Amino acid sequence: MKKLLLGIALLITSISGVSAKVSDYDKYFRVDMKMEIPDINEYIKKLDSKYTLYDKGYDSRFKMGNSFKKEFSQTIRTYGMSEGRIKNSYEDDLMELLNWLPKESYQYVGPMLHQIPGMSEKILNMPGIKETKNKFPEDVAERMKGIENIEFMSPALYFLLMPEIWGEKKPETLDRPKPKRVKKPKVTIELPDYLKEKADIPTKVAERKPATAVKKQKPTSVMDGKLRTLSPNLTSPLTTKDVAAFVNTIDSIMDFGMKDNMRNFSKLIIGESLLDIWEQEQGIALMQNSLKDLVNPCQRLVLKTRFAGLYDEFSAIVVKEGFSPEEWAYTCDKTVKAFRVLEANQSIAYAVRYHRKGYYDQYISQLPRKWREEMFATEAAIVKMYSVFKEDVDAVRPYHKELYEKFLKNKGMMLTAPIFY
């Protein structure tokens, strides 16, 4: 249901047709792998209390016992005797989003809602939504007309019939008060002087390469990329030798996570939950905190090893290729972002460019606050996932095929770190 809500929110932005500046969420996406780790045992207790299993009141279906608890007895006696209905958890959010959609767009959304099992009756009986049940949209894009059997397409795809999607009709300005300008969080990332002016300037990339690859000065200290980088960090140049060393660690790291019936992998999952709890308490968690793992998967993975008590064991793996865990993480994240650029098709390139230029920001700022913040964070994550220097892309290019095969073999993951998207 959460995907449905986000989908409708994106549909709202697709028919808005306004532009603004891209939000900056550096504060949330920056990773401090050297931060002071809290008492892990204390956070494990919090995690245990958070996920305490519900007491069913019996041992099993085959051993029910001879008596019900008092609360169970009261529930059984009153069940079905009340006219009040239990409101679905998503109902208010979905109604709020539907009220933001122009009534003319209900014909593309309503039929799908009527086919979702368990959908709230209050939603289905909304004026404008109720009339769309089993009804094909009346206003169809010219390029979609005449397609054989188009009336049998899934209602989940009706949004593709909108003329606005294909640029055939200019979106009408919604009759709403002009929103106050929303101040977006902005934290400048620390860069050396020679990069400050170039770190966020998009350059033209041929055909299928997204415009988020940006130029920087050629690496001179490593003989134009032919040697390893000494003490790699967040802004150091990436060389082909760095990429080769990283590639050599992938299989060993996966084996590290999977040995002893995935013991280390299970510990990392717990470490991820502990990290999420800590970030919530520090006020640096996002509504979808997993976005951080998409932006900097390997830096976050190293941080999770510390929360999971696996840092030293992980260090013993990457040191074989001359990395510290932090150096490995910086090299890995830059390699992954460059790999994504090499994999990206033209559609992804345009999507990233539109988000970078903030075509939807002003309209997103009109959404309810919780949706606005989530959409801005998602937009920022999309841009940052492909933010990489052009020279780094060139360094990764010779290993593109090998990386693809290894990532595909590992189902797009580096242990708990998502590589594919």
Side-chain angles (χ1 to χ4, degrees), residues 242-250 323 328 331-332 335 403 407 414:
D242 295 331
V243 179
F246 162 69
V247 170
N248 290 338
T249 67
I250 295 177
F323 290 114
W328 176 88
T331 303
C332 172
T335 300
L403 284 167
F407 291 155
M414 180 77 69

Side-chain angles (χ1 to χ4, degrees), residues 22 25-26 29 200 210-213 288 290-297 332-344 348 351-353 355-356 377-389 393 412 417-421:
V22 174
Y25 272 69
D26 285 344
F29 290 110
D200 200 35
T212 48
Q288 294 187 73
S290 58
L291 289 173
K292 296 181 179 183
D293 291 335
L294 287 169
V295 174
N296 294 304
C332 172
D333 279 344
K334 285 183 281 189
T335 300
V336 166
K337 290 175 183 178
F339 171 79
R340 288 169 176 166
V341 169
L342 290 169
E343 277 292 295
I348 292 176
V352 174
R353 184 178 293 120
H355 283 296
R356 175 183 283 276
T378 302
E379 181 178 66
I382 291 171
V383 173
K384 292 176 182 295
M385 282 172 61
Y386 292 88
S387 293
V388 61
F389 292 113
V393 176
I419 304 303
F420 286 146
Y421 31 89

Side-chain angles (χ1 to χ4, degrees), residues 23-32 35 183-190 234 278-286 289 291-292 295-296 299-300 303 369 373 376-377 380-381 384:
S23 174
D24 191 336
Y25 272 69
D26 285 344
K27 169 184 175 182
Y28 298 95
F29 290 110
R30 186 183 292 118
V31 182
D32 181 7
M35 73 178 191
K183 188 176 181 180
K184 306 167 190 174
K186 183 174 184 178
V187 180
T188 305
I189 191 169
E190 305 245 348
L234 191 62
W278 183 84
E279 289 185 334
Q280 288 173 6
E281 292 183 351
Q282 301 303 310
I284 56 174
L286 295 168
N289 217 38
L291 289 173
K292 296 181 179 183
V295 174
N296 294 304
Q299 293 177 62
R300 295 277 294 176
L303 194 54
R369 182 174 180 179
E373 292 178 354
F376 276 139
K384 292 176 182 295

Side-chain angles (χ1 to χ4, degrees), residues 196-231:
K196 284 184 178 178
E197 294 182 357
K198 299 183 179 182
D200 200 35
I201 301 176
T203 60
K204 293 183 178 179
V205 184
E207 297 179 356
R208 53 196 299 274
K209 310 302 184 293
T212 48
V214 295
K215 285 187 177 181
K216 66 178 176 183
Q217 292 181 354
K218 292 183 178 180
T220 55
S221 60
V222 289
M223 297 180 60
D224 291 335
K226 296 179 181 179
L227 300 177
R228 291 283 297 275
T229 301
L230 182 64
S231 301

Side-chain angles (χ1 to χ4, degrees), residues 19-25 28 100 177-186 358 360-377 379:
S19 61
K21 187 178 179 181
V22 174
S23 174
D24 191 336
Y25 272 69
Y28 298 95
W100 277 85
K178 189 175 181 180
K180 296 180 180 179
R181 185 165 184 81
V182 178
K183 188 176 181 180
K184 306 167 190 174
K186 183 174 184 178
Y360 310 124
D361 284 9
Q362 185 176 338
Y363 196 83
I364 294 175
S365 68
Q366 299 179 54
L367 294 171
R369 182 174 180 179
K370 56 185 174 182
W371 291 105
R372 181 176 69 221
E373 292 178 354
E374 192 164 0
M375 292 290 288
F376 276 139
E379 181 178 66

Side-chain angles (χ1 to χ4, degrees), residues 147-364:
I147 297 178
E148 187 177 0
N149 297 324
I150 192 173
E151 65 272 17
F152 298 112
M153 74 184 299
S154 168
L157 300 176
Y158 280 179
F159 71 94
L160 293 174
L161 302 175
M162 294 177 64
E164 291 86 351
I165 291 290
W166 304 100
E168 295 179 5
K169 180 188 294 185
K170 187 175 180 181
E172 298 180 5
T173 303
L174 302 180
D175 187 18
R176 298 196 182 97
K178 189 175 181 180
K180 296 180 180 179
R181 185 165 184 81
V182 178
K183 188 176 181 180
K184 306 167 190 174
K186 183 174 184 178
V187 180
T188 305
I189 191 169
E190 305 245 348
L191 293 175
D193 291 339
Y194 77 93
L195 287 179
K196 284 184 178 178
E197 294 182 357
K198 299 183 179 182
D200 200 35
I201 301 176
T203 60
K204 293 183 178 179
V205 184
E207 297 179 356
R208 53 196 299 274
K209 310 302 184 293
T212 48
V214 295
K215 285 187 177 181
K216 66 178 176 183
Q217 292 181 354
K218 292 183 178 180
T220 55
S221 60
V222 289
M223 297 180 60
D224 291 335
K226 296 179 181 179
L227 300 177
R228 291 283 297 275
T229 301
L230 182 64
S231 301
N233 55 47
L234 191 62
T235 57
S236 61
L238 190 64
T239 72
T240 53
K241 293 294 184 181
D242 295 331
V243 179
F246 162 69
V247 170
N248 290 338
T249 67
I250 295 177
D251 291 339
S252 298
I253 287 173
M254 295 303 296
D255 291 341
F256 154 80
M258 301 305 168
K259 71 178 184 179
D260 297 336
N261 290 324
M262 301 179 67
R263 174 181 62 88
N264 288 342
F265 184 83
S266 299
K267 286 186 176 181
L268 284 171
I269 295 295
I270 296 174
E272 181 176 326
S273 299
L274 297 177
L275 175 59
D276 286 342
I277 293 175
W278 183 84
E279 289 185 334
Q280 288 173 6
E281 292 183 351
Q282 301 303 310
I284 56 174
L286 295 168
M287 292 179 68
Q288 294 187 73
N289 217 38
S290 58
L291 289 173
K292 296 181 179 183
D293 291 335
L294 287 169
V295 174
N296 294 304
C298 303
Q299 293 177 62
R300 295 277 294 176
L301 177 60
V302 169
L303 194 54
K304 292 172 191 176
T305 65
R306 297 184 65 197
F307 275 84
L310 296 172
Y311 181 84
D312 291 340
E313 194 173 345
F314 184 85
S315 178
I317 300 295
V318 298
V319 74
K320 295 176 182 177
E321 291 294 330
F323 290 114
S324 71
E326 291 74 26
E327 292 169 349
W328 176 88
Y330 293 135
T331 303
C332 172
D333 279 344
K334 285 183 281 189
T335 300
V336 166
K337 290 175 183 178
F339 171 79
R340 288 169 176 166
V341 169
L342 290 169
E343 277 292 295
N345 55 31
Q346 192 174 40
S347 297
I348 292 176
Y350 277 113
V352 174
R353 184 178 293 120
Y354 290 161
H355 283 296
R356 175 183 283 276
K357 292 185 177 181
Y359 285 176
Y360 310 124
D361 284 9
Q362 185 176 338
Y363 196 83
I364 294 175

